[in-house]
Coordinates of all heavy atoms in Angstrom, one line a residue:
I638 N -60.8 4.6 -36.2 CA -61.2 3.8 -35.1 C -62.6 4.2 -34.6 O -62.8 5.4 -34.4 CB -60.2 3.8 -33.9 CG1 -58.8 3.5 -34.3 CG2 -60.7 3.0 -32.8 CD1 -57.8 3.6 -33.2
L656 N -54.5 9.7 -32.1 CA -54.5 9.0 -30.8 C -53.4 9.7 -29.9 O -52.2 9.8 -30.2 CB -54.1 7.5 -30.9 CG -55.1 6.6 -31.4 CD1 -54.5 5.2 -31.6 CD2 -56.4 6.5 -30.4
L661 N -58.3 12.2 -25.6 CA -59.1 11.0 -25.1 C -59.8 11.4 -23.8 O -59.2 12.1 -22.9 CB -58.3 9.8 -24.9 CG -57.4 9.3 -26.1 CD1 -56.6 8.1 -25.7 CD2 -58.3 9.1 -27.3
S665 N -64.4 6.1 -23.4 CA -63.6 5.6 -24.6 C -62.2 5.8 -24.4 O -61.3 5.3 -25.1 CB -64.1 6.3 -25.9 OG -63.8 7.7 -25.8
A666 N -61.7 6.5 -23.3 CA -60.3 6.7 -23.0 C -59.7 5.3 -22.7 O -58.5 5.0 -22.9 CB -60.0 7.7 -22.0
Y667 N -60.5 4.4 -22.2 CA -60.0 3.1 -21.8 C -59.6 2.3 -23.1 O -58.5 1.9 -23.3 CB -61.0 2.3 -20.9 CG -61.1 2.9 -19.6 CD1 -62.0 4.0 -19.4 CD2 -60.4 2.5 -18.5 CE1 -62.2 4.5 -18.1 CE2 -60.5 3.0 -17.2 CZ -61.4 4.1 -17.0 OH -61.5 4.7 -15.8
P668 N -60.6 2.0 -24.0 CA -60.2 1.2 -25.2 C -59.3 2.0 -26.1 O -58.3 1.4 -26.6 CB -61.5 0.9 -25.9 CG -62.5 2.0 -25.3 CD -62.0 2.2 -23.9
L669 N -59.5 3.3 -26.3 CA -58.6 4.1 -27.2 C -57.3 4.3 -26.6 O -56.2 4.3 -27.3 CB -59.3 5.5 -27.6 CG -60.6 5.4 -28.3 CD1 -61.2 6.7 -28.5 CD2 -60.4 4.7 -29.7
G670 N -57.3 4.3 -25.3 CA -56.0 4.5 -24.5 C -55.1 3.2 -24.8 O -53.9 3.4 -24.8
I671 N -55.7 2.1 -25.0 CA -54.9 0.9 -25.2 C -54.2 1.0 -26.6 O -53.1 0.7 -26.8 CB -55.8 -0.4 -25.2 CG1 -56.3 -0.6 -23.8 CG2 -55.1 -1.6 -25.8 CD1 -55.2 -1.0 -22.8
A672 N -55.0 1.4 -27.6 CA -54.3 1.6 -28.9 C -53.2 2.6 -28.9 O -52.1 2.4 -29.4 CB -55.4 2.1 -29.9
W673 N -53.5 3.8 -28.1 CA -52.4 4.8 -28.0 C -51.2 4.1 -27.2 O -50.0 4.3 -27.6 CB -52.9 6.0 -27.2 CG -51.8 6.8 -26.7 CD1 -51.1 7.7 -27.5 CD2 -51.2 6.8 -25.5 NE1 -50.1 8.3 -26.7 CE2 -50.1 7.7 -25.5 CE3 -51.4 6.1 -24.3 CZ2 -49.2 7.9 -24.4 CZ3 -50.6 6.3 -23.2 CH2 -49.5 7.2 -23.2
A674 N -51.5 3.4 -26.1 CA -50.4 2.9 -25.3 C -49.6 1.8 -26.1 O -48.4 1.7 -25.8 CB -51.0 2.3 -24.0
L675 N -50.2 1.1 -27.0 CA -49.4 0.2 -27.8 C -48.3 1.0 -28.5 O -47.1 0.6 -28.6 CB -50.3 -0.6 -28.7 CG -51.1 -1.8 -28.0 CD1 -52.2 -2.3 -29.0 CD2 -50.2 -2.9 -27.7
G676 N -48.8 2.1 -29.1 CA -47.9 2.9 -29.9 C -46.8 3.5 -29.0 O -45.6 3.5 -29.3
A677 N -47.2 4.0 -27.8 CA -46.2 4.5 -26.9 C -45.2 3.5 -26.3 O -44.2 3.9 -25.9 CB -47.0 5.2 -25.7
S678 N -45.6 2.2 -26.5 CA -44.7 1.1 -26.0 C -43.9 0.5 -27.1 O -43.2 -0.5 -26.9 CB -45.6 0.0 -25.4 OG -46.5 0.4 -24.5
V680 N -44.9 -0.1 -30.5 CA -45.6 -0.6 -31.7 C -45.7 0.5 -32.8 O -46.2 1.6 -32.4 CB -47.0 -1.2 -31.3 CG1 -47.8 -1.6 -32.6 CG2 -46.8 -2.4 -30.4
L682 N -47.6 2.4 -35.2 CA -49.0 2.5 -35.5 C -49.3 3.0 -36.9 O -50.3 2.7 -37.5 CB -49.7 3.5 -34.5 CG -49.8 3.0 -33.0 CD1 -50.6 3.9 -32.1 CD2 -50.4 1.6 -32.9
F688 N -60.1 0.1 -36.8 CA -61.0 -0.9 -36.5 C -62.3 -0.4 -35.9 O -62.3 0.7 -35.4 CB -60.3 -1.9 -35.4 CG -59.8 -1.2 -34.2 CD1 -60.6 -0.9 -33.1 CD2 -58.5 -0.8 -34.1 CE1 -60.2 -0.3 -31.9 CE2 -58.0 -0.1 -33.0 CZ -58.8 0.1 -31.9
L690 N -65.1 -1.4 -32.9 CA -65.0 -2.1 -31.7 C -66.3 -1.9 -30.9 O -66.8 -0.8 -30.8 CB -63.8 -1.6 -30.9 CG -63.6 -2.1 -29.4 CD1 -63.4 -3.6 -29.3 CD2 -62.5 -1.3 -28.7
S705 N -62.3 -1.5 -15.3 CA -61.4 -0.8 -16.1 C -60.3 -1.7 -16.7 O -60.0 -1.7 -17.9 CB -60.7 0.4 -15.4 OG -60.1 -0.1 -14.1
A706 N -59.8 -2.6 -15.9 CA -58.8 -3.5 -16.4 C -59.4 -4.6 -17.3 O -58.8 -5.0 -18.3 CB -58.0 -4.3 -15.2
A707 N -60.7 -4.9 -17.0 CA -61.4 -5.9 -17.9 C -61.5 -5.3 -19.3 O -61.2 -6.0 -20.3 CB -62.7 -6.2 -17.3
I708 N -61.9 -4.0 -19.4 CA -62.0 -3.4 -20.7 C -60.6 -3.3 -21.4 O -60.5 -3.6 -22.6 CB -62.8 -2.1 -20.7 CG1 -63.2 -1.5 -22.0 CG2 -62.2 -1.1 -19.9 CD1 -64.1 -0.4 -21.9
E709 N -59.7 -2.8 -20.6 CA -58.3 -2.6 -21.2 C -57.8 -4.0 -21.7 O -57.2 -4.0 -22.8 CB -57.4 -2.1 -20.1 CG -57.6 -0.6 -19.7 CD -57.2 -0.3 -18.3 OE1 -56.5 -1.1 -17.6 OE2 -57.5 0.8 -17.8
C710 N -57.9 -5.0 -21.0 CA -57.2 -6.2 -21.3 C -57.9 -7.0 -22.4 O -57.3 -7.6 -23.2 CB -57.1 -7.2 -20.0 SG -56.0 -6.4 -18.8
S711 N -59.3 -6.8 -22.5 CA -60.0 -7.5 -23.6 C -59.5 -6.8 -24.9 O -59.3 -7.4 -25.9 CB -61.5 -7.4 -23.4 OG -62.0 -6.0 -23.3
V712 N -59.4 -5.5 -24.8 CA -59.1 -4.7 -26.1 C -57.6 -4.9 -26.4 O -57.2 -5.1 -27.5 CB -59.3 -3.2 -25.9 CG1 -58.8 -2.4 -27.1 CG2 -60.8 -3.0 -25.7
A713 N -56.7 -5.0 -25.4 CA -55.3 -5.2 -25.6 C -55.1 -6.6 -26.3 O -54.3 -6.7 -27.2 CB -54.5 -5.2 -24.3
L714 N -55.8 -7.7 -25.8 CA -55.6 -9.0 -26.4 C -56.2 -9.0 -27.8 O -55.6 -9.6 -28.7 CB -56.4 -10.0 -25.5 CG -56.0 -11.4 -25.8 CD1 -54.6 -11.8 -25.3 CD2 -57.0 -12.4 -25.1
A715 N -57.3 -8.3 -28.0 CA -57.9 -8.2 -29.3 C -56.8 -7.5 -30.3 O -56.6 -8.1 -31.4 CB -59.2 -7.5 -29.3
L716 N -56.3 -6.4 -30.0 CA -55.4 -5.7 -30.9 C -54.1 -6.5 -31.1 O -53.5 -6.5 -32.2 CB -55.1 -4.3 -30.4 CG -56.3 -3.3 -30.4 CD1 -56.0 -2.0 -29.9 CD2 -56.8 -3.2 -31.9
N717 N -53.6 -7.2 -30.0 CA -52.5 -8.0 -30.1 C -52.7 -9.1 -31.2 O -51.8 -9.4 -32.0 CB -52.2 -8.6 -28.8 CG -50.8 -9.3 -28.8 OD1 -49.8 -8.8 -29.2 ND2 -50.8 -10.6 -28.2
W720 N -53.7 -7.2 -35.0 CA -52.5 -6.4 -35.5 C -51.3 -7.3 -35.5 O -50.2 -6.9 -35.9 CB -52.2 -5.2 -34.7 CG -53.1 -4.0 -35.1 CD1 -53.9 -3.9 -36.2 CD2 -53.3 -2.8 -34.3 NE1 -54.6 -2.7 -36.2 CE2 -54.2 -2.0 -35.1 CE3 -52.8 -2.2 -33.2 CZ2 -54.6 -0.7 -34.6 CZ3 -53.1 -1.0 -32.7 CH2 -54.0 -0.2 -33.5
L722 N -49.2 -8.6 -33.2 CA -48.1 -7.9 -32.5 C -47.2 -9.0 -31.8 O -46.0 -8.7 -31.6 CB -48.6 -6.9 -31.5 CG -49.6 -5.8 -32.1 CD1 -50.1 -4.9 -31.0 CD2 -48.8 -5.1 -33.2
L729 N -48.6 -7.0 -22.3 CA -49.9 -6.4 -22.5 C -50.4 -5.8 -21.2 O -51.1 -4.8 -21.2 CB -50.9 -7.5 -23.0 CG -50.7 -7.9 -24.4 CD1 -51.6 -9.1 -24.8 CD2 -50.7 -6.8 -25.5
A730 N -50.1 -6.4 -20.1 CA -50.5 -5.9 -18.8 C -49.9 -4.4 -18.6 O -50.5 -3.5 -18.1 CB -50.1 -6.8 -17.6
L731 N -48.6 -4.3 -19.0 CA -48.0 -3.0 -18.9 C -48.6 -2.0 -19.8 O -48.7 -0.8 -19.5 CB -46.5 -3.1 -19.3 CG -45.6 -3.8 -18.2 CD1 -44.2 -4.1 -18.7 CD2 -45.5 -2.9 -16.9
V732 N -49.0 -2.5 -21.0 CA -49.7 -1.5 -21.9 C -51.1 -1.1 -21.3 O -51.4 0.1 -21.4 CB -50.0 -2.3 -23.3 CG1 -51.0 -1.5 -24.2 CG2 -48.8 -2.5 -24.0
G733 N -51.8 -2.0 -20.6 CA -53.0 -1.7 -19.9 C -52.8 -0.6 -18.8 O -53.5 0.3 -18.7
Q734 N -51.7 -0.9 -18.1 CA -51.4 0.1 -17.0 C -51.0 1.5 -17.6 O -51.5 2.5 -17.1 CB -50.2 -0.4 -16.1 CG -49.9 0.5 -15.0 CD -48.6 0.2 -14.3 OE1 -47.8 -0.5 -14.8 NE2 -48.4 0.8 -13.2
L735 N -50.3 1.5 -18.7 CA -49.9 2.7 -19.3 C -51.1 3.5 -19.7 O -51.2 4.7 -19.5 CB -48.9 2.5 -20.4 CG -48.4 3.7 -21.1 CD1 -47.4 4.5 -20.2 CD2 -47.6 3.3 -22.4
A736 N -52.1 2.8 -20.4 CA -53.3 3.4 -20.8 C -54.1 4.0 -19.6 O -54.5 5.2 -19.7 CB -54.2 2.4 -21.5
E737 N -54.2 3.3 -18.5 CA -54.9 3.7 -17.4 C -54.2 4.9 -16.7 O -54.8 5.9 -16.3 CB -55.1 2.6 -16.4 CG -56.0 3.0 -15.2 CD -57.0 2.0 -14.8 OE1 -57.2 1.0 -15.4 OE2 -57.7 2.3 -13.8
A740 N -53.6 7.7 -20.3 CA -54.8 8.1 -21.2 C -56.0 8.4 -20.3 O -56.7 9.3 -20.6 CB -55.1 7.0 -22.2
V741 N -56.2 7.6 -19.3 CA -57.3 7.9 -18.4 C -56.9 8.9 -17.3 O -57.7 9.7 -16.8 CB -57.8 6.6 -17.7 CG1 -58.9 6.8 -16.7 CG2 -58.2 5.6 -18.7
Q750 N -54.4 -5.5 -14.3 CA -54.2 -6.0 -15.6 C -53.5 -7.4 -15.5 O -53.7 -8.3 -16.4 CB -53.3 -5.0 -16.4 CG -54.0 -3.7 -16.7 CD -53.9 -2.7 -15.5 OE1 -53.2 -3.0 -14.5 NE2 -54.6 -1.6 -15.6

Side-chain angles (χ1 to χ4, degrees):
I638 301 176
L656 285 172
L661 307 180
S665 64
Y667 292 86
L669 296 175
I671 292 294
W673 167 79
L675 284 167
S678 309
V680 171
L682 293 184
F688 55 87
L690 169 68
S705 56
I708 186 170
E709 289 154 8
C710 296
S711 60
V712 173
L714 195 70
L716 289 178
N717 191 45
W720 280 346
L722 304 178
L729 293 176
L731 285 168
V732 166
Q734 184 193 11
L735 185 64
E737 185 138 354
V741 177
Q750 295 80 9

